[in-house]
PDB file of all heavy atoms in Angstrom:
ATOM      1  N   ALA A   1       9.612 -87.811 -15.150  1.00 96.00           N
ATOM      2  CA  ALA A   1       9.206 -87.039 -13.975  1.00 96.00           C
ATOM      3  C   ALA A   1       9.106 -87.925 -12.743  1.00 96.00           C
ATOM      4  O   ALA A   1       9.523 -87.545 -11.646  1.00 96.00           O
ATOM      5  CB  ALA A   1       7.871 -86.339 -14.248  1.00 96.00           C
ATOM      6  N   SER A   2       8.565 -89.136 -12.920  1.00 96.00           N
ATOM      7  CA  SER A   2       8.450 -90.070 -11.798  1.00 96.00           C
ATOM      8  C   SER A   2       9.817 -90.487 -11.282  1.00 96.00           C
ATOM      9  O   SER A   2      10.028 -90.603 -10.074  1.00 96.00           O
ATOM     10  CB  SER A   2       7.647 -91.308 -12.222  1.00 96.00           C
ATOM     11  OG  SER A   2       6.314 -90.959 -12.530  1.00 96.00           O
ATOM     12  N   LEU A   3      10.750 -90.724 -12.212  1.00 97.00           N
ATOM     13  CA  LEU A   3      12.112 -91.078 -11.806  1.00 97.00           C
ATOM     14  C   LEU A   3      12.747 -89.934 -11.013  1.00 97.00           C
ATOM     15  O   LEU A   3      13.348 -90.167  -9.950  1.00 97.00           O
ATOM     16  CB  LEU A   3      12.961 -91.382 -13.040  1.00 97.00           C
ATOM     17  CG  LEU A   3      14.455 -91.617 -12.770  1.00 97.00           C
ATOM     18  CD1 LEU A   3      14.664 -92.879 -11.942  1.00 97.00           C
ATOM     19  CD2 LEU A   3      15.242 -91.693 -14.087  1.00 97.00           C
ATOM     20  N   ALA A   4      12.613 -88.714 -11.513  1.00 96.00           N
ATOM     21  CA  ALA A   4      13.190 -87.568 -10.810  1.00 96.00           C
ATOM     22  C   ALA A   4      12.590 -87.420  -9.420  1.00 96.00           C
ATOM     23  O   ALA A   4      13.305 -87.133  -8.453  1.00 96.00           O
ATOM     24  CB  ALA A   4      12.977 -86.294 -11.623  1.00 96.00           C
ATOM     25  N   PHE A   5      11.278 -87.626  -9.304  1.00 95.00           N
ATOM     26  CA  PHE A   5      10.623 -87.504  -8.001  1.00 95.00           C
ATOM     27  C   PHE A   5      11.141 -88.565  -7.038  1.00 95.00           C
ATOM     28  O   PHE A   5      11.467 -88.273  -5.884  1.00 95.00           O
ATOM     29  CB  PHE A   5       9.110 -87.627  -8.166  1.00 95.00           C
ATOM     30  CG  PHE A   5       8.355 -87.497  -6.866  1.00 95.00           C
ATOM     31  CD1 PHE A   5       8.284 -86.286  -6.200  1.00 95.00           C
ATOM     32  CD2 PHE A   5       7.730 -88.594  -6.304  1.00 95.00           C
ATOM     33  CE1 PHE A   5       7.600 -86.164  -4.991  1.00 95.00           C
ATOM     34  CE2 PHE A   5       7.045 -88.492  -5.107  1.00 95.00           C
ATOM     35  CZ  PHE A   5       6.975 -87.276  -4.445  1.00 95.00           C
ATOM     36  N   LYS A   6      11.249 -89.800  -7.523  1.00 96.00           N
ATOM     37  CA  LYS A   6      11.742 -90.889  -6.674  1.00 96.00           C
ATOM     38  C   LYS A   6      13.166 -90.602  -6.199  1.00 96.00           C
ATOM     39  O   LYS A   6      13.474 -90.749  -5.002  1.00 96.00           O
ATOM     40  CB  LYS A   6      11.711 -92.211  -7.448  1.00 96.00           C
ATOM     41  CG  LYS A   6      12.168 -93.420  -6.618  1.00 96.00           C
ATOM     42  CD  LYS A   6      12.160 -94.693  -7.433  1.00 96.00           C
ATOM     43  CE  LYS A   6      13.379 -94.772  -8.339  1.00 96.00           C
ATOM     44  NZ  LYS A   6      13.512 -96.095  -9.005  1.00 96.00           N
ATOM     45  N   LEU A   7      14.013 -90.163  -7.103  1.00 96.00           N
ATOM     46  CA  LEU A   7      15.400 -89.894  -6.736  1.00 96.00           C
ATOM     47  C   LEU A   7      15.522 -88.666  -5.828  1.00 96.00           C
ATOM     48  O   LEU A   7      16.445 -88.581  -5.016  1.00 96.00           O
ATOM     49  CB  LEU A   7      16.238 -89.709  -7.994  1.00 96.00           C
ATOM     50  CG  LEU A   7      16.383 -90.954  -8.887  1.00 96.00           C
ATOM     51  CD1 LEU A   7      17.198 -90.634 -10.132  1.00 96.00           C
ATOM     52  CD2 LEU A   7      17.011 -92.110  -8.119  1.00 96.00           C
ATOM     53  N   SER A   8      14.590 -87.716  -5.957  1.00 95.00           N
ATOM     54  CA  SER A   8      14.655 -86.519  -5.120  1.00 95.00           C
ATOM     55  C   SER A   8      14.435 -86.847  -3.646  1.00 95.00           C
ATOM     56  O   SER A   8      14.850 -86.087  -2.770  1.00 95.00           O
ATOM     57  CB  SER A   8      13.618 -85.492  -5.576  1.00 95.00           C
ATOM     58  OG  SER A   8      12.294 -85.872  -5.204  1.00 95.00           O
ATOM     59  N   LEU A   9      13.784 -87.967  -3.382  1.00 94.00           N
ATOM     60  CA  LEU A   9      13.473 -88.360  -2.008  1.00 94.00           C
ATOM     61  C   LEU A   9      14.561 -89.222  -1.375  1.00 94.00           C
ATOM     62  O   LEU A   9      14.485 -89.536  -0.188  1.00 94.00           O
ATOM     63  CB  LEU A   9      12.140 -89.122  -1.971  1.00 94.00           C
ATOM     64  CG  LEU A   9      10.921 -88.366  -2.507  1.00 94.00           C
ATOM     65  CD1 LEU A   9       9.696 -89.257  -2.474  1.00 94.00           C
ATOM     66  CD2 LEU A   9      10.676 -87.082  -1.721  1.00 94.00           C
ATOM     67  N   ASP A  10      15.562 -89.600  -2.168  1.00 94.00           N
ATOM     68  CA  ASP A  10      16.650 -90.448  -1.676  1.00 94.00           C
ATOM     69  C   ASP A  10      17.655 -89.587  -0.914  1.00 94.00           C
ATOM     70  O   ASP A  10      18.384 -88.786  -1.497  1.00 94.00           O
ATOM     71  CB  ASP A  10      17.330 -91.150  -2.858  1.00 94.00           C
ATOM     72  CG  ASP A  10      18.384 -92.155  -2.426  1.00 94.00           C
ATOM     73  OD1 ASP A  10      18.857 -92.074  -1.277  1.00 94.00           O
ATOM     74  OD2 ASP A  10      18.743 -93.014  -3.249  1.00 94.00           O
ATOM     75  N   LYS A  11      17.693 -89.737   0.384  1.00 92.00           N
ATOM     76  CA  LYS A  11      18.526 -88.878   1.239  1.00 92.00           C
ATOM     77  C   LYS A  11      20.005 -89.267   1.254  1.00 92.00           C
ATOM     78  O   LYS A  11      20.840 -88.523   1.765  1.00 92.00           O
ATOM     79  CB  LYS A  11      17.995 -88.897   2.682  1.00 92.00           C
ATOM     80  CG  LYS A  11      16.548 -88.432   2.814  1.00 92.00           C
ATOM     81  CD  LYS A  11      16.353 -87.032   2.263  1.00 92.00           C
ATOM     82  CE  LYS A  11      14.925 -86.540   2.434  1.00 92.00           C
ATOM     83  NZ  LYS A  11      14.698 -85.247   1.753  1.00 92.00           N
ATOM     84  N   LYS A  12      20.333 -90.424   0.706  1.00 91.00           N
ATOM     85  CA  LYS A  12      21.721 -90.894   0.746  1.00 91.00           C
ATOM     86  C   LYS A  12      22.409 -90.820  -0.618  1.00 91.00           C
ATOM     87  O   LYS A  12      23.586 -91.142  -0.742  1.00 91.00           O
ATOM     88  CB  LYS A  12      21.765 -92.358   1.231  1.00 91.00           C
ATOM     89  CG  LYS A  12      21.267 -92.543   2.662  1.00 91.00           C
ATOM     90  CD  LYS A  12      22.138 -91.777   3.646  1.00 91.00           C
ATOM     91  CE  LYS A  12      21.697 -92.015   5.091  1.00 91.00           C
ATOM     92  NZ  LYS A  12      22.517 -91.227   6.036  1.00 91.00           N
ATOM     93  N   ARG A  13      21.684 -90.394  -1.607  1.00 92.00           N
ATOM     94  CA  ARG A  13      22.179 -90.431  -2.979  1.00 92.00           C
ATOM     95  C   ARG A  13      23.124 -89.262  -3.267  1.00 92.00           C
ATOM     96  O   ARG A  13      22.952 -88.152  -2.765  1.00 92.00           O
ATOM     97  CB  ARG A  13      20.958 -90.376  -3.900  1.00 92.00           C
ATOM     98  CG  ARG A  13      21.219 -90.076  -5.343  1.00 92.00           C
ATOM     99  CD  ARG A  13      19.898 -90.083  -6.103  1.00 92.00           C
ATOM    100  NE  ARG A  13      20.024 -89.471  -7.409  1.00 92.00           N
ATOM    101  CZ  ARG A  13      20.560 -90.081  -8.447  1.00 92.00           C
ATOM    102  NH1 ARG A  13      21.005 -91.311  -8.334  1.00 92.00           N
ATOM    103  NH2 ARG A  13      20.632 -89.466  -9.624  1.00 92.00           N
ATOM    104  N   SER A  14      24.119 -89.541  -4.103  1.00 93.00           N
ATOM    105  CA  SER A  14      24.962 -88.463  -4.614  1.00 93.00           C
ATOM    106  C   SER A  14      24.320 -87.967  -5.902  1.00 93.00           C
ATOM    107  O   SER A  14      24.606 -88.446  -6.994  1.00 93.00           O
ATOM    108  CB  SER A  14      26.382 -88.958  -4.880  1.00 93.00           C
ATOM    109  OG  SER A  14      27.174 -87.917  -5.426  1.00 93.00           O
ATOM    110  N   SER A  15      23.421 -87.013  -5.767  1.00 95.00           N
ATOM    111  CA  SER A  15      22.652 -86.501  -6.897  1.00 95.00           C
ATOM    112  C   SER A  15      23.482 -85.485  -7.694  1.00 95.00           C
ATOM    113  O   SER A  15      24.532 -85.025  -7.218  1.00 95.00           O
ATOM    114  CB  SER A  15      21.389 -85.819  -6.382  1.00 95.00           C
ATOM    115  OG  SER A  15      21.740 -84.695  -5.587  1.00 95.00           O
ATOM    116  N   PRO A  16      23.032 -85.113  -8.889  1.00 93.00           N
ATOM    117  CA  PRO A  16      23.733 -84.043  -9.610  1.00 93.00           C
ATOM    118  C   PRO A  16      23.842 -82.766  -8.782  1.00 93.00           C
ATOM    119  O   PRO A  16      24.877 -82.100  -8.791  1.00 93.00           O
ATOM    120  CB  PRO A  16      22.856 -83.833 -10.851  1.00 93.00           C
ATOM    121  CG  PRO A  16      22.210 -85.163 -11.090  1.00 93.00           C
ATOM    122  CD  PRO A  16      21.957 -85.717  -9.723  1.00 93.00           C
ATOM    123  N   PHE A  17      22.785 -82.435  -8.031  1.00 93.00           N
ATOM    124  CA  PHE A  17      22.811 -81.237  -7.185  1.00 93.00           C
ATOM    125  C   PHE A  17      23.852 -81.382  -6.079  1.00 93.00           C
ATOM    126  O   PHE A  17      24.626 -80.459  -5.806  1.00 93.00           O
ATOM    127  CB  PHE A  17      21.428 -80.993  -6.578  1.00 93.00           C
ATOM    128  CG  PHE A  17      21.330 -79.729  -5.773  1.00 93.00           C
ATOM    129  CD1 PHE A  17      21.168 -78.501  -6.401  1.00 93.00           C
ATOM    130  CD2 PHE A  17      21.403 -79.764  -4.382  1.00 93.00           C
ATOM    131  CE1 PHE A  17      21.078 -77.320  -5.661  1.00 93.00           C
ATOM    132  CE2 PHE A  17      21.313 -78.587  -3.633  1.00 93.00           C
ATOM    133  CZ  PHE A  17      21.147 -77.370  -4.273  1.00 93.00           C
ATOM    134  N   ALA A  18      23.883 -82.567  -5.457  1.00 93.00           N
ATOM    135  CA  ALA A  18      24.862 -82.812  -4.387  1.00 93.00           C
ATOM    136  C   ALA A  18      26.288 -82.756  -4.939  1.00 93.00           C
ATOM    137  O   ALA A  18      27.195 -82.205  -4.303  1.00 93.00           O
ATOM    138  CB  ALA A  18      24.595 -84.165  -3.742  1.00 93.00           C
ATOM    139  N   LYS A  19      26.477 -83.303  -6.114  1.00 93.00           N
ATOM    140  CA  LYS A  19      27.807 -83.294  -6.736  1.00 93.00           C
ATOM    141  C   LYS A  19      28.267 -81.862  -7.000  1.00 93.00           C
ATOM    142  O   LYS A  19      29.423 -81.502  -6.741  1.00 93.00           O
ATOM    143  CB  LYS A  19      27.773 -84.092  -8.039  1.00 93.00           C
ATOM    144  CG  LYS A  19      29.113 -84.226  -8.718  1.00 93.00           C
ATOM    145  CD  LYS A  19      29.007 -85.043  -9.988  1.00 93.00           C
ATOM    146  CE  LYS A  19      30.359 -85.114 -10.696  1.00 93.00           C
ATOM    147  NZ  LYS A  19      30.271 -85.836 -11.990  1.00 93.00           N
ATOM    148  N   GLN A  20      27.351 -81.032  -7.508  1.00 92.00           N
ATOM    149  CA  GLN A  20      27.697 -79.627  -7.752  1.00 92.00           C
ATOM    150  C   GLN A  20      28.009 -78.899  -6.447  1.00 92.00           C
ATOM    151  O   GLN A  20      28.915 -78.066  -6.395  1.00 92.00           O
ATOM    152  CB  GLN A  20      26.540 -78.921  -8.466  1.00 92.00           C
ATOM    153  CG  GLN A  20      26.371 -79.302  -9.917  1.00 92.00           C
ATOM    154  CD  GLN A  20      25.260 -78.500 -10.574  1.00 92.00           C
ATOM    155  OE1 GLN A  20      25.126 -77.300 -10.365  1.00 92.00           O
ATOM    156  NE2 GLN A  20      24.444 -79.183 -11.358  1.00 92.00           N
ATOM    157  N   ALA A  21      27.254 -79.217  -5.396  1.00 92.00           N
ATOM    158  CA  ALA A  21      27.498 -78.578  -4.101  1.00 92.00           C
ATOM    159  C   ALA A  21      28.915 -78.864  -3.619  1.00 92.00           C
ATOM    160  O   ALA A  21      29.634 -77.964  -3.175  1.00 92.00           O
ATOM    161  CB  ALA A  21      26.472 -79.064  -3.079  1.00 92.00           C
ATOM    162  N   VAL A  22      29.315 -80.128  -3.702  1.00 91.00           N
ATOM    163  CA  VAL A  22      30.657 -80.523  -3.277  1.00 91.00           C
ATOM    164  C   VAL A  22      31.718 -79.801  -4.103  1.00 91.00           C
ATOM    165  O   VAL A  22      32.745 -79.338  -3.579  1.00 91.00           O
ATOM    166  CB  VAL A  22      30.827 -82.049  -3.387  1.00 91.00           C
ATOM    167  CG1 VAL A  22      32.279 -82.448  -3.178  1.00 91.00           C
ATOM    168  CG2 VAL A  22      29.929 -82.750  -2.370  1.00 91.00           C
ATOM    169  N   GLU A  23      31.463 -79.675  -5.417  1.00 91.00           N
ATOM    170  CA  GLU A  23      32.414 -78.990  -6.286  1.00 91.00           C
ATOM    171  C   GLU A  23      32.573 -77.515  -5.913  1.00 91.00           C
ATOM    172  O   GLU A  23      33.583 -76.891  -6.234  1.00 91.00           O
ATOM    173  CB  GLU A  23      31.974 -79.115  -7.749  1.00 91.00           C
ATOM    174  CG  GLU A  23      32.124 -80.536  -8.303  1.00 91.00           C
ATOM    175  CD  GLU A  23      31.504 -80.708  -9.673  1.00 91.00           C
ATOM    176  OE1 GLU A  23      30.842 -79.744 -10.158  1.00 91.00           O
ATOM    177  OE2 GLU A  23      31.647 -81.797 -10.254  1.00 91.00           O
ATOM    178  N   HIS A  24      31.550 -76.967  -5.239  1.00 92.00           N
ATOM    179  CA  HIS A  24      31.610 -75.571  -4.799  1.00 92.00           C
ATOM    180  C   HIS A  24      31.963 -75.452  -3.311  1.00 92.00           C
ATOM    181  O   HIS A  24      31.748 -74.413  -2.691  1.00 92.00           O
ATOM    182  CB  HIS A  24      30.274 -74.873  -5.085  1.00 92.00           C
ATOM    183  CG  HIS A  24      30.051 -74.577  -6.530  1.00 92.00           C
ATOM    184  ND1 HIS A  24      29.544 -75.512  -7.416  1.00 92.00           N
ATOM    185  CD2 HIS A  24      30.287 -73.457  -7.253  1.00 92.00           C
ATOM    186  CE1 HIS A  24      29.460 -74.977  -8.609  1.00 92.00           C
ATOM    187  NE2 HIS A  24      29.904 -73.741  -8.552  1.00 92.00           N
ATOM    188  N   GLY A  25      32.481 -76.553  -2.749  1.00 92.00           N
ATOM    189  CA  GLY A  25      32.943 -76.515  -1.370  1.00 92.00           C
ATOM    190  C   GLY A  25      31.856 -76.578  -0.325  1.00 92.00           C
ATOM    191  O   GLY A  25      32.071 -76.208   0.834  1.00 92.00           O
ATOM    192  N   LEU A  26      30.678 -77.043  -0.715  1.00 90.00           N
ATOM    193  CA  LEU A  26      29.549 -77.147   0.212  1.00 90.00           C
ATOM    194  C   LEU A  26      29.210 -78.612   0.444  1.00 90.00           C
ATOM    195  O   LEU A  26      29.477 -79.468  -0.395  1.00 90.00           O
ATOM    196  CB  LEU A  26      28.324 -76.414  -0.357  1.00 90.00           C
ATOM    197  CG  LEU A  26      28.536 -74.934  -0.694  1.00 90.00           C
ATOM    198  CD1 LEU A  26      27.334 -74.395  -1.454  1.00 90.00           C
ATOM    199  CD2 LEU A  26      28.766 -74.125   0.577  1.00 90.00           C
ATOM    200  N   TRP A  27      28.600 -78.886   1.589  1.00 86.00           N
ATOM    201  CA  TRP A  27      28.194 -80.264   1.872  1.00 86.00           C
ATOM    202  C   TRP A  27      26.703 -80.406   1.634  1.00 86.00           C
ATOM    203  O   TRP A  27      25.889 -79.631   2.136  1.00 86.00           O
ATOM    204  CB  TRP A  27      28.523 -80.651   3.314  1.00 86.00           C
ATOM    205  CG  TRP A  27      28.167 -82.086   3.588  1.00 86.00           C
ATOM    206  CD1 TRP A  27      28.967 -83.174   3.392  1.00 86.00           C
ATOM    207  CD2 TRP A  27      26.931 -82.588   4.098  1.00 86.00           C
ATOM    208  NE1 TRP A  27      28.302 -84.327   3.738  1.00 86.00           N
ATOM    209  CE2 TRP A  27      27.048 -83.998   4.165  1.00 86.00           C
ATOM    210  CE3 TRP A  27      25.732 -81.987   4.479  1.00 86.00           C
ATOM    211  CZ2 TRP A  27      26.011 -84.808   4.618  1.00 86.00           C
ATOM    212  CZ3 TRP A  27      24.687 -82.798   4.921  1.00 86.00           C
ATOM    213  CH2 TRP A  27      24.840 -84.193   4.990  1.00 86.00           C
ATOM    214  N   PHE A  28      26.349 -81.375   0.820  1.00 91.00           N
ATOM    215  CA  PHE A  28      24.938 -81.689   0.582  1.00 91.00           C
ATOM    216  C   PHE A  28      24.873 -83.157   0.211  1.00 91.00           C
ATOM    217  O   PHE A  28      25.689 -83.643  -0.577  1.00 91.00           O
ATOM    218  CB  PHE A  28      24.354 -80.833  -0.539  1.00 91.00           C
ATOM    219  CG  PHE A  28      22.869 -81.022  -0.733  1.00 91.00           C
ATOM    220  CD1 PHE A  28      21.964 -80.233  -0.047  1.00 91.00           C
ATOM    221  CD2 PHE A  28      22.387 -81.997  -1.589  1.00 91.00           C
ATOM    222  CE1 PHE A  28      20.595 -80.396  -0.219  1.00 91.00           C
ATOM    223  CE2 PHE A  28      21.012 -82.179  -1.765  1.00 91.00           C
ATOM    224  CZ  PHE A  28      20.116 -81.377  -1.076  1.00 91.00           C
TER     225      PHE A  28
END
């Protein structure tokens, strides 16, 4: 949980959510 929280605050990271967004033609 702590790792997920830390990574959720990283604004420059290519997160799993960001990767899925790009795959659906969205920018995140």
Side-chain angles (χ1 to χ4, degrees):
S2 295
L3 174 65
F5 181 69
K6 182 182 78 172
L7 294 178
S8 74
L9 301 177
D10 186 341
K11 302 303 182 187
K12 296 298 183 182
R13 166 179 165 78
S14 178
S15 63
F17 184 80
K19 184 179 177 184
Q20 287 183 42
V22 170
E23 290 171 354
H24 287 84
L26 303 171
W27 183 88
F28 186 90

